Amino acid sequence: MPKITKIATQKRVGRYNVEIDGRFAFGLMESTLVKYGLVKERELTQELIAAIKHDDQVARALKMALDYLGPTIRTVHQVKERLLNKEIDADIVAEVVEQLLAQQYLDDADYVQHFIATKKIINPKGPLIVAQELKRAGVAENLIQEGLLNYSTSDQIEIATKIIDNAQRSYQRESSYGRKQKLIKLLMTKGFSYEIAQQVLEENDWQVDTEQEKLNLIRQVEKLTHRYRKETPSARSYRIKQQLYAKGYQGDLIDWVLSESVDTSDDF
């Protein structure tokens, strides 16, 4: 019967080399060594050797998984993907995941709750983006939908309001209409629905600051006048009006600014 003739430590901490009948047989983690009570001169059957090797693969994969879980919580899918990428056999991966689930190191429902809570505070995102990111993390659709029940409409409005409060300064030089459209687009790219975006904008004070609107319009006219400086005055005026209407400025305000600053008569 095969007999252990030597057990020696490896350079890697917690790993051991086992020699059987004077020849290297396999490497083991310390936990596997202790589990089977392996010592020099112990005789091993082939069945026991196979069981030792299998359990050591599980122990090694379990350590990889726990190291991966150390910094943050993960989904079942993420852990499986991590181990498979490390070329761990699929059967071993399944066994490790089963242990982690039983010991509550993995819990996708808990992951969803933590993920949503984080997205409400750190780098805020709306429910549409949250759902997409959870799907990419491999979370089941039913768990995503259950989790999003805790992302209430009032939560969305509060978070979306903070986002536009922080963003408004970036759009100060836009027309009031253009600013509103860009803020709606911003909220939608952050994962909020069009309905929520509109509601948030409607609940904020969007009275037009006429003086600011005039200043913004004058800046636009100056830029456009320079751009179309080679056009005839009437053609230039037409082109400028086109651009300003497209940017959302009101007709009466456009006419007032143009009448003050742009020559619209053609000289022949």
Side-chain angles (χ1 to χ4, degrees):
M1 186 178 293
K3 182 187 294 184
I4 296 175
T5 51
K6 184 179 180 180
I7 299 176
T9 58
Q10 293 183 2
K11 290 183 179 180
R12 287 180 292 173
V13 177
R15 294 285 297 177
Y16 294 82
N17 289 330
V18 177
E19 291 185 6
I20 294 178
D21 296 336
R23 301 179 65 180
F24 173 76
F26 44 77
L28 292 178
M29 293 190 65
E30 185 174 13
S31 59
T32 310
L33 199 72
V34 172
K35 177 181 178 180
Y36 283 92
L38 300 180
V39 293
K40 187 177 177 180
E41 301 299 323
R42 179 174 175 180
E43 294 182 339
L44 304 172
T45 65
Q46 293 300 326
E47 290 79 9
L48 183 56
I49 290 173
I52 290 169
K53 288 181 177 179
H54 173 82
D55 283 3
D56 191 66
Q57 289 181 62
V58 172
R60 187 166 67 92
L62 184 60
K63 183 180 184 305
M64 286 183 186
L66 290 173
D67 288 345
Y68 182 53
L69 286 165
T72 186
I73 61 174
R74 312 279 185 179
T75 66
V76 171
H77 172 78
Q78 288 171 334
V79 170
K80 283 182 177 179
E81 193 173 57
R82 176 76 169 190
L83 295 179
L84 290 171
N85 287 339
K86 294 289 185 179
E87 299 184 349
I88 304 298
D89 185 80
D91 291 339
I92 299 296
V93 172
E95 193 169 335
V96 168
V97 167
E98 187 176 342
Q99 287 188 34
L100 293 171
L101 287 168
Q103 297 170 28
Q104 297 185 323
Y105 283 106
L106 286 177
D107 184 338
D108 279 4
D110 185 56
Y111 177 92
V112 170
Q113 296 303 325
H114 278 85
F115 187 87
I116 293 174
T118 300
K119 289 300 180 183
K120 289 180 181 179
I121 302 169
I122 303 171
N123 190 19
K125 297 285 174 55
L128 300 178
I129 295 294
V130 168
Q132 289 175 10
E133 293 182 357
L134 287 171
K135 284 178 184 177
R136 283 197 293 270
V139 179
E141 183 66 26
N142 65 306
L143 293 180
I144 294 173
Q145 295 308 317
E146 287 174 14
L148 288 175
L149 293 176
N150 293 323
Y151 202 159
S152 66
T153 300
S154 60
D155 287 339
Q156 293 178 52
I157 290 172
E158 180 182 352
I159 293 165
T161 299
K162 289 178 182 177
I163 290 172
I164 65 165
D165 284 346
N166 292 331
Q168 283 192 61
R169 182 171 293 182
S170 301
Y171 304 126
Q172 277 184 338
R173 294 196 171 188
E174 301 285 342
S175 68
S176 57
Y177 173 82
R179 183 165 65 251
K180 184 173 181 179
Q181 292 307 114
K182 287 192 175 183
L183 288 171
I184 287 176
K185 183 178 179 180
L186 171 66
L187 291 178
M188 292 179 70
T189 59
K190 290 282 188 179
F192 297 93
S193 69
Y194 179 75
E195 291 74 22
I196 289 291
Q198 269 199 318
Q199 184 174 344
V200 169
L201 271 294
E202 287 170 2
E203 290 180 1
N204 281 267
D205 182 8
W206 283 101
Q207 291 182 351
V208 177
D209 182 339
T210 305
E211 291 307 312
Q212 183 63 50
E213 194 86 341
K214 285 180 180 179
L215 287 174
N216 291 341
L217 188 50
I218 290 168
R219 290 192 191 99
Q220 290 293 330
V221 168
E222 289 172 351
K223 288 168 60 177
L224 293 170
T225 299
H226 180 73
R227 182 185 300 175
Y228 301 124
R229 62 189 180 280
K230 294 183 180 180
E231 303 275 358
T232 64
S234 60
R236 182 167 58 246
S237 178
Y238 176 75
R239 298 287 290 276
I240 290 172
K241 280 187 175 183
Q242 276 188 318
Q243 293 288 328
L244 296 176
Y245 280 123
K247 290 178 179 293
Y249 289 100
Q250 298 298 312
D252 55 346
L253 197 55
I254 292 172
D255 290 337
W256 177 82
V257 172
L258 290 180
S259 68
E260 295 292 320
S261 57
V262 177
D263 179 10
T264 60
S265 61
D266 291 326
D267 296 322
F268 294 98

